[in-house]
Amino acid sequence: LAATGCKQFLYGNAVRPLRVLVFNIHAGKDAHGVDNMERVAAVIRETNADIVLLQEVDKFTTRSGKVDQVATLTKLTGYKGAFGKTLDYQGGDYGIAILSRWSIISDTLVHLPLNPPQARAGGSYEPRGALRVSIAAPGGAIHVVNTHLDASGADSFRRQEIPQVLAVGEAMKKTGALVLVGGDLNSEPASAILGIVREAKWVDLWTKCGKGNDLTYPQDKPVKRIDYLLAQPGVVCRKATVLTSDASDHRGVLFELDR
């Protein structure tokens, strides 16, 4: 890319925007609660995404039929995959994942400690994390941070979580490579949580290039946007679109970026 002076993304012999999909897959169940990994994989293929940030991903849990959902998706799509376990759940693991068209150089789950500690106790409370991945993309490495913040009504836990997630992204910026942070933030654009994001000089890319309805949850009659992709100010977002698929109880969001 440096040799050609082109700001767009080099893929094979073509130059085009980088496509990033943010998608909470609801443990592989569609909007009607039916097991649905084939349709999740179809969404990924149909969007032609290069990088996919997934939340609510299961490995070997009872509710998901004891399958490894990351392995299933990599088999169905041909992508590489990384998984970050945040919770022991129903005899297996629950967490977040990143899929990539290109090789994954490294992956690390960064736990998000809270005070008081958060433990699953009959509600949506559960430990959270940030999955940090480096991808060997054409033209240079891309660093991606994926997270799924607390889902409780009050934002006391999210106020502690989001600075830690952004700090992971800040540390990766020092490499000079493209850094993206995203996932299900369980927070609306006008919330205090997104205020923290803006104060830290991260850009909510939907505000730069979103087209059409921005609501992502719930799938059938969405009333709020809680799924995001963030970047440093210099990144150019050409287009962002909320998908209409019912492959999950969330609507995925597809972003097209220049480097």
Side-chain angles (χ1 to χ4, degrees):
L1 289 175
T4 63
C6 181
K7 293 183 179 179
Q8 284 189 298
F9 196 79
L10 180 65
Y11 174 60
N13 294 320
V15 176
R16 63 160 175 78
L18 173 70
R19 296 190 178 103
V20 181
L21 174 63
V22 179
F23 195 18
N24 182 323
I25 65 170
H26 187 42
K29 296 185 183 299
D30 67 16
H32 313 288
V34 178
D35 289 335
N36 185 34
M37 293 305 293
E38 292 79 6
R39 291 178 62 201
V40 170
V43 170
I44 294 169
R45 293 193 303 266
E46 289 164 8
T47 59
N48 198 24
D50 300 304
I51 299 170
V52 186
L53 285 65
L54 302 174
Q55 302 84 44
E56 289 197 50
V57 183
D58 281 6
K59 292 183 72 174
F60 308 121
T61 67
T62 300
R63 69 174 175 181
S64 61
K66 296 293 184 179
V67 303
D68 181 337
Q69 293 187 334
V70 177
T72 298
L73 288 174
T74 58
K75 180 178 180 180
L76 292 173
T77 63
Y79 287 53
K80 286 72 175 176
F83 175 76
K85 169 188 171 181
T86 58
L87 183 69
D88 293 320
Y89 188 68
Q90 290 189 351
D93 301 333
Y94 167 88
I96 49 184
I98 295 175
L99 304 184
S100 170
R101 183 184 301 279
W102 305 293
S103 297
I104 294 175
I105 303 167
S106 64
D107 65 273
T108 304
L109 181 74
V110 179
H111 292 281
L112 307 179
L114 302 174
N115 186 19
Q118 185 187 36
R120 191 174 186 92
S124 63
Y125 303 113
E126 55 199 46
R128 302 290 175 164
L131 179 60
R132 178 181 65 203
V133 166
S134 296
I135 294 169
I142 298 174
H143 303 308
V144 183
V145 181
N146 180 25
T147 195
H148 184 189
L149 299 188
D150 176 70
S152 56
D155 65 6
S156 57
F157 286 124
R158 292 189 291 274
R159 284 176 179 269
Q160 296 180 62
E161 291 165 344
I162 192 62
Q164 297 181 69
V165 173
L166 298 178
V168 175
E170 289 291 340
M172 301 180 88
K173 280 184 182 179
K174 296 177 181 178
T175 65
L178 174 64
V179 179
L180 301 172
V181 176
D184 179 354
L185 304 188
N186 273 310
S187 307
E188 296 185 65
S191 68
I193 304 309
L194 268 293
I196 294 171
V197 169
R198 291 186 290 270
E199 289 172 8
K201 308 301 182 185
W202 286 86
V203 178
D204 169 8
L205 290 176
W206 180 272
T207 65
K208 299 299 180 184
C209 64
K211 304 292 183 184
N213 188 345
D214 71 334
L215 304 179
T216 63
Y217 183 84
Q219 182 279 331
D220 55 347
K221 295 180 180 179
V223 297
K224 55 188 175 181
R225 176 163 70 94
I226 58 176
D227 304 279
Y228 294 84
L229 188 65
L230 314 174
Q232 55 262 59
V235 173
V236 176
C237 185
R238 291 186 169 270
K239 185 179 180 181
T241 308
V242 174
L243 309 181
T244 58
S245 169
D246 66 350
S248 170
D249 65 344
H250 283 244
R251 294 186 175 194
V253 191
L254 180 66
F255 296 84
E256 298 185 9
L257 316 177
D258 286 356
R259 296 193 60 156

